[in-house]
Amino acid sequence: MIVLLVISVLMIVVVLVQKTKSAGLGEAYGSDTQSFTTKGKAASREAKLQKITVALAVIMFVLTLLCLILIKF
């Protein structure tokens, strides 16, 4: 149960660290001033965070199922 709690807190932190997908109307009209290298680094960081989020979700799902099975028996 403690491991499940720790995984849950980690997942919350990782989700909160990620940027939102929508940048608003400013990006649509070209007011985005980041260079391509900065965008590439940010994109790779976001990709890593998304993979970590998926991994934590799978671990949380498996741990929840294990806890339910252990409680039942």
Short mmCIF file of all heavy atoms in Angstrom, two decimals:
data_model
loop_
_atom_site.label_atom_id
_atom_site.label_comp_id
_atom_site.label_asym_id
_atom_site.label_seq_id
_atom_site.Cartn_x
_atom_site.Cartn_y
_atom_site.Cartn_z
N MET A 1 0.82 -1.20 0.00
CA MET A 1 0.00 0.00 0.00
C MET A 1 0.87 1.27 0.00
O MET A 1 0.51 2.25 -0.64
CB MET A 1 -0.92 0.01 1.22
CG MET A 1 -1.99 -1.07 1.22
SD MET A 1 -3.15 -0.92 -0.12
CE MET A 1 -4.26 0.25 0.55
N ILE A 2 1.99 1.21 0.71
CA ILE A 2 2.88 2.36 0.75
C ILE A 2 3.49 2.61 -0.62
O ILE A 2 3.61 3.76 -1.06
CB ILE A 2 3.97 2.17 1.82
CG1 ILE A 2 3.32 2.15 3.21
CG2 ILE A 2 5.02 3.26 1.74
CD1 ILE A 2 4.24 1.79 4.33
N VAL A 3 3.86 1.53 -1.32
CA VAL A 3 4.42 1.67 -2.66
C VAL A 3 3.39 2.28 -3.60
O VAL A 3 3.73 3.15 -4.42
CB VAL A 3 4.91 0.30 -3.19
CG1 VAL A 3 5.39 0.41 -4.61
CG2 VAL A 3 5.99 -0.27 -2.30
N LEU A 4 2.15 1.88 -3.48
CA LEU A 4 1.08 2.44 -4.30
C LEU A 4 0.91 3.94 -4.03
O LEU A 4 0.74 4.73 -4.96
CB LEU A 4 -0.23 1.70 -4.04
CG LEU A 4 -1.42 2.09 -4.90
CD1 LEU A 4 -1.13 1.85 -6.37
CD2 LEU A 4 -2.64 1.31 -4.47
N LEU A 5 1.01 4.32 -2.79
CA LEU A 5 0.92 5.73 -2.42
C LEU A 5 2.08 6.53 -3.02
O LEU A 5 1.88 7.62 -3.57
CB LEU A 5 0.89 5.89 -0.90
CG LEU A 5 0.80 7.30 -0.37
CD1 LEU A 5 -0.55 7.91 -0.72
CD2 LEU A 5 1.02 7.32 1.12
N VAL A 6 3.29 5.99 -2.94
CA VAL A 6 4.47 6.68 -3.48
C VAL A 6 4.35 6.82 -5.00
O VAL A 6 4.63 7.89 -5.57
CB VAL A 6 5.76 5.93 -3.09
CG1 VAL A 6 6.95 6.48 -3.83
CG2 VAL A 6 5.98 6.02 -1.59
N ILE A 7 3.92 5.75 -5.69
CA ILE A 7 3.75 5.79 -7.14
C ILE A 7 2.69 6.82 -7.52
O ILE A 7 2.84 7.57 -8.48
CB ILE A 7 3.38 4.39 -7.69
CG1 ILE A 7 4.51 3.41 -7.47
CG2 ILE A 7 2.99 4.46 -9.16
CD1 ILE A 7 5.76 3.70 -8.27
N SER A 8 1.63 6.90 -6.74
CA SER A 8 0.56 7.87 -7.01
C SER A 8 1.07 9.30 -6.88
O SER A 8 0.78 10.15 -7.74
CB SER A 8 -0.60 7.67 -6.05
OG SER A 8 -1.12 6.38 -6.18
N VAL A 9 1.84 9.57 -5.85
CA VAL A 9 2.39 10.92 -5.66
C VAL A 9 3.37 11.25 -6.79
O VAL A 9 3.35 12.36 -7.33
CB VAL A 9 3.08 11.03 -4.28
CG1 VAL A 9 3.86 12.34 -4.16
CG2 VAL A 9 2.04 10.93 -3.17
N LEU A 10 4.21 10.29 -7.18
CA LEU A 10 5.13 10.50 -8.29
C LEU A 10 4.39 10.80 -9.59
O LEU A 10 4.79 11.68 -10.36
CB LEU A 10 6.03 9.29 -8.49
CG LEU A 10 7.19 9.13 -7.52
CD1 LEU A 10 7.90 7.80 -7.76
CD2 LEU A 10 8.16 10.27 -7.65
N MET A 11 3.30 10.09 -9.81
CA MET A 11 2.53 10.31 -11.03
C MET A 11 1.90 11.71 -11.03
O MET A 11 1.90 12.39 -12.06
CB MET A 11 1.45 9.24 -11.18
CG MET A 11 0.74 9.30 -12.49
SD MET A 11 -0.20 7.80 -12.71
CE MET A 11 -1.15 8.25 -14.12
N ILE A 12 1.42 12.15 -9.90
CA ILE A 12 0.85 13.49 -9.80
C ILE A 12 1.92 14.54 -10.11
O ILE A 12 1.67 15.49 -10.86
CB ILE A 12 0.23 13.72 -8.40
CG1 ILE A 12 -1.02 12.86 -8.24
CG2 ILE A 12 -0.07 15.19 -8.16
CD1 ILE A 12 -1.55 12.81 -6.83
N VAL A 13 3.11 14.35 -9.56
CA VAL A 13 4.19 15.32 -9.78
C VAL A 13 4.59 15.35 -11.26
O VAL A 13 4.75 16.42 -11.85
CB VAL A 13 5.41 14.97 -8.89
CG1 VAL A 13 6.63 15.79 -9.29
CG2 VAL A 13 5.07 15.20 -7.43
N VAL A 14 4.72 14.18 -11.88
CA VAL A 14 5.13 14.12 -13.29
C VAL A 14 4.08 14.76 -14.18
O VAL A 14 4.41 15.49 -15.12
CB VAL A 14 5.40 12.66 -13.71
CG1 VAL A 14 5.58 12.54 -15.21
CG2 VAL A 14 6.64 12.12 -13.01
N VAL A 15 2.81 14.54 -13.90
CA VAL A 15 1.75 15.14 -14.71
C VAL A 15 1.75 16.66 -14.54
O VAL A 15 1.58 17.41 -15.51
CB VAL A 15 0.38 14.54 -14.34
CG1 VAL A 15 -0.76 15.34 -14.95
CG2 VAL A 15 0.32 13.09 -14.81
N LEU A 16 1.98 17.14 -13.33
CA LEU A 16 1.97 18.58 -13.11
C LEU A 16 3.19 19.27 -13.73
O LEU A 16 3.11 20.46 -14.08
CB LEU A 16 1.92 18.88 -11.61
CG LEU A 16 0.59 18.60 -10.93
CD1 LEU A 16 0.70 18.84 -9.43
CD2 LEU A 16 -0.51 19.45 -11.53
N VAL A 17 4.29 18.55 -13.91
CA VAL A 17 5.49 19.13 -14.50
C VAL A 17 5.34 19.29 -16.01
O VAL A 17 5.94 20.18 -16.61
CB VAL A 17 6.72 18.26 -14.17
CG1 VAL A 17 7.94 18.66 -14.96
CG2 VAL A 17 7.02 18.35 -12.69
N GLN A 18 4.51 18.47 -16.64
CA GLN A 18 4.35 18.52 -18.09
C GLN A 18 3.67 19.81 -18.52
O GLN A 18 2.86 20.37 -17.81
CB GLN A 18 3.51 17.33 -18.57
CG GLN A 18 4.19 16.01 -18.43
CD GLN A 18 3.33 14.86 -18.89
OE1 GLN A 18 2.32 15.06 -19.55
NE2 GLN A 18 3.73 13.66 -18.55
N LYS A 19 4.03 20.25 -19.72
CA LYS A 19 3.41 21.45 -20.29
C LYS A 19 2.06 21.08 -20.89
O LYS A 19 1.84 19.93 -21.28
CB LYS A 19 4.29 22.04 -21.39
CG LYS A 19 5.54 22.69 -20.89
CD LYS A 19 6.26 23.36 -22.03
CE LYS A 19 7.51 24.04 -21.54
NZ LYS A 19 8.22 24.70 -22.64
N THR A 20 1.21 22.08 -21.03
CA THR A 20 -0.08 21.84 -21.66
C THR A 20 0.11 21.71 -23.16
O THR A 20 1.06 22.24 -23.74
CB THR A 20 -1.07 22.98 -21.36
OG1 THR A 20 -0.51 24.19 -21.84
CG2 THR A 20 -1.35 23.09 -19.87
N LYS A 21 -0.82 21.05 -23.83
CA LYS A 21 -0.73 20.85 -25.27
C LYS A 21 -1.10 22.11 -26.05
O LYS A 21 -0.61 22.35 -27.13
CB LYS A 21 -1.64 19.70 -25.72
CG LYS A 21 -1.25 18.37 -25.15
CD LYS A 21 0.03 17.89 -25.77
CE LYS A 21 0.38 16.55 -25.19
NZ LYS A 21 1.67 16.08 -25.61
N SER A 22 -1.98 22.92 -25.50
CA SER A 22 -2.41 24.12 -26.23
C SER A 22 -1.63 25.33 -25.74
O SER A 22 -1.48 25.55 -24.55
CB SER A 22 -3.90 24.35 -26.02
OG SER A 22 -4.17 24.56 -24.66
N ALA A 23 -1.13 26.12 -26.68
CA ALA A 23 -0.37 27.32 -26.33
C ALA A 23 -1.22 28.57 -26.50
O ALA A 23 -0.73 29.67 -26.31
CB ALA A 23 0.88 27.40 -27.18
N GLY A 24 -2.45 28.42 -26.93
CA GLY A 24 -3.32 29.57 -27.10
C GLY A 24 -3.21 30.18 -28.47
O GLY A 24 -2.58 29.67 -29.38
N LEU A 25 -3.84 31.35 -28.64
CA LEU A 25 -3.84 32.03 -29.94
C LEU A 25 -2.49 32.64 -30.30
O LEU A 25 -2.21 32.87 -31.47
CB LEU A 25 -4.91 33.12 -29.95
CG LEU A 25 -6.35 32.63 -30.00
CD1 LEU A 25 -7.30 33.81 -29.88
CD2 LEU A 25 -6.61 31.87 -31.28
N GLY A 26 -1.65 32.89 -29.32
CA GLY A 26 -0.36 33.50 -29.60
C GLY A 26 0.49 32.64 -30.52
O GLY A 26 1.17 33.14 -31.41
N GLU A 27 0.46 31.35 -30.34
CA GLU A 27 1.24 30.47 -31.19
C GLU A 27 0.65 30.38 -32.59
O GLU A 27 1.38 30.24 -33.58
CB GLU A 27 1.32 29.07 -30.58
CG GLU A 27 2.24 28.14 -31.34
CD GLU A 27 2.40 26.80 -30.65
OE1 GLU A 27 2.05 26.67 -29.47
OE2 GLU A 27 2.87 25.88 -31.32
N ALA A 28 -0.64 30.50 -32.71
CA ALA A 28 -1.28 30.41 -34.02
C ALA A 28 -0.88 31.57 -34.92
O ALA A 28 -0.81 31.43 -36.14
CB ALA A 28 -2.80 30.38 -33.86
N TYR A 29 -0.59 32.74 -34.34
CA TYR A 29 -0.23 33.90 -35.12
C TYR A 29 1.27 34.17 -35.15
O TYR A 29 1.72 35.23 -35.53
CB TYR A 29 -0.97 35.14 -34.61
CG TYR A 29 -2.44 35.03 -34.85
CD1 TYR A 29 -3.31 34.81 -33.81
CD2 TYR A 29 -2.95 35.11 -36.14
CE1 TYR A 29 -4.68 34.70 -34.03
CE2 TYR A 29 -4.31 34.99 -36.38
CZ TYR A 29 -5.15 34.78 -35.32
OH TYR A 29 -6.50 34.65 -35.55
N GLY A 30 2.06 33.21 -34.71
CA GLY A 30 3.51 33.31 -34.85
C GLY A 30 4.23 34.10 -33.79
O GLY A 30 5.35 34.54 -34.00
N SER A 31 3.65 34.28 -32.63
CA SER A 31 4.35 35.02 -31.59
C SER A 31 5.24 34.12 -30.75
O SER A 31 5.82 34.57 -29.77
CB SER A 31 3.34 35.74 -30.69
OG SER A 31 2.60 34.80 -29.95
N ASP A 32 5.40 32.88 -31.15
CA ASP A 32 6.28 31.96 -30.45
C ASP A 32 7.71 32.26 -30.86
O ASP A 32 8.07 32.15 -32.02
CB ASP A 32 5.90 30.52 -30.80
CG ASP A 32 6.58 29.52 -29.90
OD1 ASP A 32 7.05 29.92 -28.82
OD2 ASP A 32 6.63 28.33 -30.28
N THR A 33 8.56 32.66 -29.91
CA THR A 33 9.91 33.12 -30.24
C THR A 33 11.00 32.13 -29.89
O THR A 33 12.17 32.47 -29.91
CB THR A 33 10.19 34.45 -29.53
OG1 THR A 33 10.07 34.25 -28.12
CG2 THR A 33 9.25 35.54 -30.01
N GLN A 34 10.66 30.91 -29.56
CA GLN A 34 11.68 29.92 -29.23
C GLN A 34 12.39 29.45 -30.49
O GLN A 34 11.79 29.35 -31.56
CB GLN A 34 11.04 28.71 -28.55
CG GLN A 34 10.55 28.97 -27.16
CD GLN A 34 10.02 27.70 -26.52
OE1 GLN A 34 9.69 26.74 -27.21
NE2 GLN A 34 9.93 27.69 -25.22
N SER A 35 13.67 29.15 -30.33
CA SER A 35 14.42 28.62 -31.46
C SER A 35 14.11 27.14 -31.65
O SER A 35 13.53 26.49 -30.78
CB SER A 35 15.92 28.81 -31.24
OG SER A 35 16.34 28.00 -30.17
N PHE A 36 14.54 26.60 -32.79
CA PHE A 36 14.26 25.19 -33.07
C PHE A 36 14.98 24.26 -32.11
O PHE A 36 14.46 23.22 -31.73
CB PHE A 36 14.63 24.86 -34.52
CG PHE A 36 13.70 25.46 -35.52
CD1 PHE A 36 14.15 26.43 -36.40
CD2 PHE A 36 12.38 25.07 -35.57
CE1 PHE A 36 13.29 27.00 -37.32
CE2 PHE A 36 11.50 25.64 -36.49
CZ PHE A 36 11.97 26.61 -37.36
N THR A 37 16.20 24.61 -31.69
CA THR A 37 16.93 23.74 -30.77
C THR A 37 16.26 23.72 -29.40
O THR A 37 16.22 22.69 -28.75
CB THR A 37 18.39 24.18 -30.64
OG1 THR A 37 18.44 25.54 -30.21
CG2 THR A 37 19.13 24.05 -31.95
N THR A 38 15.75 24.85 -28.98
CA THR A 38 15.05 24.90 -27.70
C THR A 38 13.77 24.07 -27.77
O THR A 38 13.44 23.36 -26.83
CB THR A 38 14.70 26.35 -27.32
OG1 THR A 38 15.89 27.13 -27.36
CG2 THR A 38 14.10 26.43 -25.95
N LYS A 39 13.06 24.17 -28.90
CA LYS A 39 11.84 23.38 -29.07
C LYS A 39 12.17 21.89 -29.10
O LYS A 39 11.43 21.08 -28.57
CB LYS A 39 11.12 23.77 -30.36
CG LYS A 39 10.40 25.08 -30.28
CD LYS A 39 9.66 25.35 -31.57
CE LYS A 39 8.97 26.68 -31.55
NZ LYS A 39 8.28 26.96 -32.80
N GLY A 40 13.28 21.52 -29.73
CA GLY A 40 13.68 20.11 -29.80
C GLY A 40 14.00 19.55 -28.43
O GLY A 40 13.63 18.44 -28.09
N LYS A 41 14.71 20.35 -27.61
CA LYS A 41 15.04 19.90 -26.26
C LYS A 41 13.77 19.78 -25.42
O LYS A 41 13.61 18.84 -24.65
CB LYS A 41 16.01 20.89 -25.60
CG LYS A 41 17.40 20.83 -26.16
CD LYS A 41 18.29 21.84 -25.48
CE LYS A 41 19.66 21.86 -26.12
NZ LYS A 41 20.53 22.88 -25.53
N ALA A 42 12.87 20.73 -25.58
CA ALA A 42 11.62 20.70 -24.83
C ALA A 42 10.77 19.51 -25.27
O ALA A 42 10.13 18.86 -24.45
CB ALA A 42 10.85 22.00 -25.01
N ALA A 43 10.79 19.23 -26.57
CA ALA A 43 10.01 18.10 -27.09
C ALA A 43 10.55 16.78 -26.57
O ALA A 43 9.77 15.89 -26.21
CB ALA A 43 10.00 18.12 -28.61
N SER A 44 11.87 16.64 -26.50
CA SER A 44 12.43 15.39 -26.00
C SER A 44 12.16 15.25 -24.50
O SER A 44 11.90 14.16 -24.01
CB SER A 44 13.92 15.31 -26.28
OG SER A 44 14.64 16.24 -25.51
N ARG A 45 12.18 16.37 -23.78
CA ARG A 45 11.86 16.33 -22.34
C ARG A 45 10.40 15.94 -22.14
O ARG A 45 10.09 15.12 -21.27
CB ARG A 45 12.12 17.71 -21.73
CG ARG A 45 11.80 17.78 -20.27
CD ARG A 45 12.18 19.15 -19.70
NE ARG A 45 11.73 19.27 -18.34
CZ ARG A 45 10.67 19.99 -17.96
NH1 ARG A 45 9.98 20.67 -18.85
NH2 ARG A 45 10.30 20.04 -16.71
N GLU A 46 9.52 16.50 -22.96
CA GLU A 46 8.10 16.17 -22.87
C GLU A 46 7.86 14.70 -23.23
O GLU A 46 7.02 14.04 -22.61
CB GLU A 46 7.28 17.08 -23.77
CG GLU A 46 7.21 18.51 -23.29
CD GLU A 46 6.58 18.65 -21.92
OE1 GLU A 46 5.55 17.99 -21.65
OE2 GLU A 46 7.11 19.40 -21.10
N ALA A 47 8.59 14.20 -24.22
CA ALA A 47 8.44 12.79 -24.60
C ALA A 47 8.86 11.88 -23.45
O ALA A 47 8.20 10.88 -23.18
CB ALA A 47 9.25 12.50 -25.85
N LYS A 48 9.94 12.24 -22.78
CA LYS A 48 10.39 11.44 -21.62
C LYS A 48 9.36 11.48 -20.50
O LYS A 48 9.06 10.46 -19.88
CB LYS A 48 11.73 11.96 -21.11
CG LYS A 48 12.89 11.65 -22.01
CD LYS A 48 14.17 12.25 -21.47
CE LYS A 48 15.30 12.11 -22.47
NZ LYS A 48 16.52 12.79 -22.01
N LEU A 49 8.81 12.66 -20.25
CA LEU A 49 7.80 12.79 -19.20
C LEU A 49 6.55 11.99 -19.53
O LEU A 49 5.93 11.39 -18.65
CB LEU A 49 7.45 14.25 -18.97
CG LEU A 49 8.51 15.09 -18.24
CD1 LEU A 49 8.10 16.55 -18.22
CD2 LEU A 49 8.73 14.58 -16.84
N GLN A 50 6.17 11.95 -20.82
CA GLN A 50 5.01 11.17 -21.22
C GLN A 50 5.27 9.67 -21.03
O GLN A 50 4.39 8.93 -20.58
CB GLN A 50 4.64 11.47 -22.67
CG GLN A 50 4.01 12.81 -22.84
CD GLN A 50 3.72 13.15 -24.30
OE1 GLN A 50 4.11 12.41 -25.20
NE2 GLN A 50 3.05 14.26 -24.53
N LYS A 51 6.47 9.22 -21.36
CA LYS A 51 6.82 7.80 -21.17
C LYS A 51 6.82 7.44 -19.69
O LYS A 51 6.35 6.38 -19.29
CB LYS A 51 8.18 7.50 -21.79
CG LYS A 51 8.15 7.49 -23.29
CD LYS A 51 9.52 7.21 -23.87
CE LYS A 51 9.49 7.29 -25.38
NZ LYS A 51 10.81 7.08 -25.98
N ILE A 52 7.35 8.35 -18.86
CA ILE A 52 7.34 8.11 -17.42
C ILE A 52 5.91 8.06 -16.89
O ILE A 52 5.58 7.22 -16.05
CB ILE A 52 8.16 9.21 -16.70
CG1 ILE A 52 9.65 9.06 -17.04
CG2 ILE A 52 7.95 9.15 -15.19
CD1 ILE A 52 10.51 10.21 -16.57
N THR A 53 5.04 8.93 -17.40
CA THR A 53 3.64 8.93 -16.98
C THR A 53 2.97 7.62 -17.32
O THR A 53 2.25 7.04 -16.49
CB THR A 53 2.89 10.10 -17.65
OG1 THR A 53 3.54 11.32 -17.32
CG2 THR A 53 1.45 10.16 -17.20
N VAL A 54 3.20 7.12 -18.54
CA VAL A 54 2.59 5.85 -18.95
C VAL A 54 3.12 4.71 -18.09
O VAL A 54 2.36 3.85 -17.62
CB VAL A 54 2.85 5.59 -20.45
CG1 VAL A 54 2.46 4.18 -20.83
CG2 VAL A 54 2.11 6.60 -21.30
N ALA A 55 4.43 4.70 -17.85
CA ALA A 55 5.03 3.64 -17.03
C ALA A 55 4.46 3.67 -15.61
O ALA A 55 4.11 2.62 -15.04
CB ALA A 55 6.54 3.78 -17.00
N LEU A 56 4.35 4.85 -15.03
CA LEU A 56 3.79 4.96 -13.68
C LEU A 56 2.33 4.54 -13.64
O LEU A 56 1.88 3.91 -12.67
CB LEU A 56 3.95 6.39 -13.15
CG LEU A 56 5.37 6.83 -12.78
CD1 LEU A 56 5.40 8.31 -12.44
CD2 LEU A 56 5.90 6.01 -11.63
N ALA A 57 1.58 4.86 -14.69
CA ALA A 57 0.17 4.46 -14.74
C ALA A 57 0.04 2.94 -14.80
O ALA A 57 -0.82 2.36 -14.12
CB ALA A 57 -0.51 5.10 -15.94
N VAL A 58 0.90 2.30 -15.59
CA VAL A 58 0.86 0.83 -15.69
C VAL A 58 1.24 0.20 -14.35
O VAL A 58 0.57 -0.73 -13.88
CB VAL A 58 1.79 0.34 -16.82
CG1 VAL A 58 1.98 -1.16 -16.77
CG2 VAL A 58 1.23 0.76 -18.18
N ILE A 59 2.29 0.72 -13.72
CA ILE A 59 2.71 0.20 -12.42
C ILE A 59 1.60 0.39 -11.39
O ILE A 59 1.30 -0.51 -10.60
CB ILE A 59 4.01 0.88 -11.96
CG1 ILE A 59 5.17 0.46 -12.87
CG2 ILE A 59 4.33 0.55 -10.51
CD1 ILE A 59 6.44 1.26 -12.66
N MET A 60 0.96 1.55 -11.41
CA MET A 60 -0.12 1.83 -10.47
C MET A 60 -1.30 0.88 -10.70
O MET A 60 -1.89 0.37 -9.73
CB MET A 60 -0.57 3.28 -10.61
CG MET A 60 -1.41 3.77 -9.47
SD MET A 60 -1.48 5.56 -9.43
CE MET A 60 -2.98 5.84 -10.30
N PHE A 61 -1.62 0.61 -11.95
CA PHE A 61 -2.70 -0.31 -12.28
C PHE A 61 -2.40 -1.71 -11.77
O PHE A 61 -3.24 -2.35 -11.13
CB PHE A 61 -2.92 -0.32 -13.80
CG PHE A 61 -3.99 -1.27 -14.25
CD1 PHE A 61 -5.32 -0.98 -14.05
CD2 PHE A 61 -3.65 -2.46 -14.88
CE1 PHE A 61 -6.31 -1.86 -14.46
CE2 PHE A 61 -4.63 -3.34 -15.30
CZ PHE A 61 -5.96 -3.04 -15.09
N VAL A 62 -1.19 -2.19 -12.01
CA VAL A 62 -0.80 -3.54 -11.57
C VAL A 62 -0.80 -3.63 -10.05
O VAL A 62 -1.30 -4.61 -9.47
CB VAL A 62 0.57 -3.92 -12.16
CG1 VAL A 62 1.11 -5.19 -11.54
CG2 VAL A 62 0.48 -4.06 -13.67
N LEU A 63 -0.26 -2.61 -9.39
CA LEU A 63 -0.24 -2.62 -7.92
C LEU A 63 -1.65 -2.59 -7.34
O LEU A 63 -1.93 -3.24 -6.32
CB LEU A 63 0.57 -1.45 -7.39
CG LEU A 63 2.08 -1.56 -7.51
CD1 LEU A 63 2.74 -0.27 -7.06
CD2 LEU A 63 2.60 -2.73 -6.70
N THR A 64 -2.54 -1.86 -7.96
CA THR A 64 -3.92 -1.81 -7.50
C THR A 64 -4.58 -3.17 -7.63
O THR A 64 -5.28 -3.63 -6.71
CB THR A 64 -4.72 -0.75 -8.29
OG1 THR A 64 -4.06 0.51 -8.15
CG2 THR A 64 -6.13 -0.64 -7.79
N LEU A 65 -4.35 -3.83 -8.77
CA LEU A 65 -4.90 -5.18 -8.94
C LEU A 65 -4.33 -6.15 -7.91
O LEU A 65 -5.07 -6.97 -7.35
CB LEU A 65 -4.63 -5.69 -10.35
CG LEU A 65 -5.48 -5.07 -11.45
CD1 LEU A 65 -5.05 -5.63 -12.81
CD2 LEU A 65 -6.95 -5.33 -11.23
N LEU A 66 -3.03 -6.07 -7.67
CA LEU A 66 -2.41 -6.94 -6.67
C LEU A 66 -2.98 -6.69 -5.28
O LEU A 66 -3.23 -7.63 -4.51
CB LEU A 66 -0.90 -6.75 -6.67
CG LEU A 66 -0.14 -7.35 -7.83
CD1 LEU A 66 1.33 -6.94 -7.77
CD2 LEU A 66 -0.28 -8.87 -7.84
N CYS A 67 -3.19 -5.43 -4.93
CA CYS A 67 -3.77 -5.11 -3.63
C CYS A 67 -5.18 -5.68 -3.51
O CYS A 67 -5.56 -6.22 -2.46
CB CYS A 67 -3.79 -3.61 -3.42
SG CYS A 67 -2.19 -2.90 -3.04
N LEU A 68 -5.97 -5.56 -4.58
CA LEU A 68 -7.33 -6.12 -4.55
C LEU A 68 -7.32 -7.63 -4.41
O LEU A 68 -8.13 -8.20 -3.67
CB LEU A 68 -8.08 -5.71 -5.82
CG LEU A 68 -8.50 -4.24 -5.90
CD1 LEU A 68 -9.09 -3.94 -7.28
CD2 LEU A 68 -9.50 -3.92 -4.81
N ILE A 69 -6.41 -8.28 -5.10
CA ILE A 69 -6.31 -9.74 -5.00
C ILE A 69 -5.86 -10.16 -3.61
O ILE A 69 -6.41 -11.10 -3.03
CB ILE A 69 -5.34 -10.28 -6.07
CG1 ILE A 69 -5.96 -10.12 -7.46
CG2 ILE A 69 -5.00 -11.74 -5.82
CD1 ILE A 69 -5.02 -10.40 -8.61
N LEU A 70 -4.89 -9.44 -3.04
CA LEU A 70 -4.43 -9.78 -1.70
C LEU A 70 -5.47 -9.53 -0.64
O LEU A 70 -5.56 -10.26 0.34
CB LEU A 70 -3.13 -9.01 -1.39
CG LEU A 70 -1.90 -9.42 -2.16
CD1 LEU A 70 -0.74 -8.48 -1.84
CD2 LEU A 70 -1.53 -10.86 -1.84
N ILE A 71 -6.26 -8.49 -0.80
CA ILE A 71 -7.32 -8.21 0.17
C ILE A 71 -8.41 -9.25 0.10
O ILE A 71 -8.96 -9.66 1.12
CB ILE A 71 -7.89 -6.78 -0.06
CG1 ILE A 71 -6.86 -5.75 0.36
CG2 ILE A 71 -9.19 -6.58 0.68
CD1 ILE A 71 -7.23 -4.33 0.00
N LYS A 72 -8.69 -9.72 -1.11
CA LYS A 72 -9.78 -10.70 -1.27
C LYS A 72 -9.42 -12.04 -0.66
O LYS A 72 -10.28 -12.75 -0.13
CB LYS A 72 -10.09 -10.87 -2.76
CG LYS A 72 -11.28 -11.74 -3.00
CD LYS A 72 -11.97 -11.34 -4.25
CE LYS A 72 -13.23 -12.18 -4.36
NZ LYS A 72 -14.24 -11.52 -5.13
N PHE A 73 -8.15 -12.42 -0.72
CA PHE A 73 -7.75 -13.74 -0.19
C PHE A 73 -7.07 -13.60 1.12
O PHE A 73 -6.24 -13.32 1.59
CB PHE A 73 -6.87 -14.48 -1.20
CG PHE A 73 -7.61 -14.81 -2.46
CD1 PHE A 73 -7.31 -14.16 -3.64
CD2 PHE A 73 -8.62 -15.75 -2.46
CE1 PHE A 73 -7.98 -14.47 -4.83
CE2 PHE A 73 -9.29 -16.06 -3.62
CZ PHE A 73 -8.97 -15.42 -4.80
#
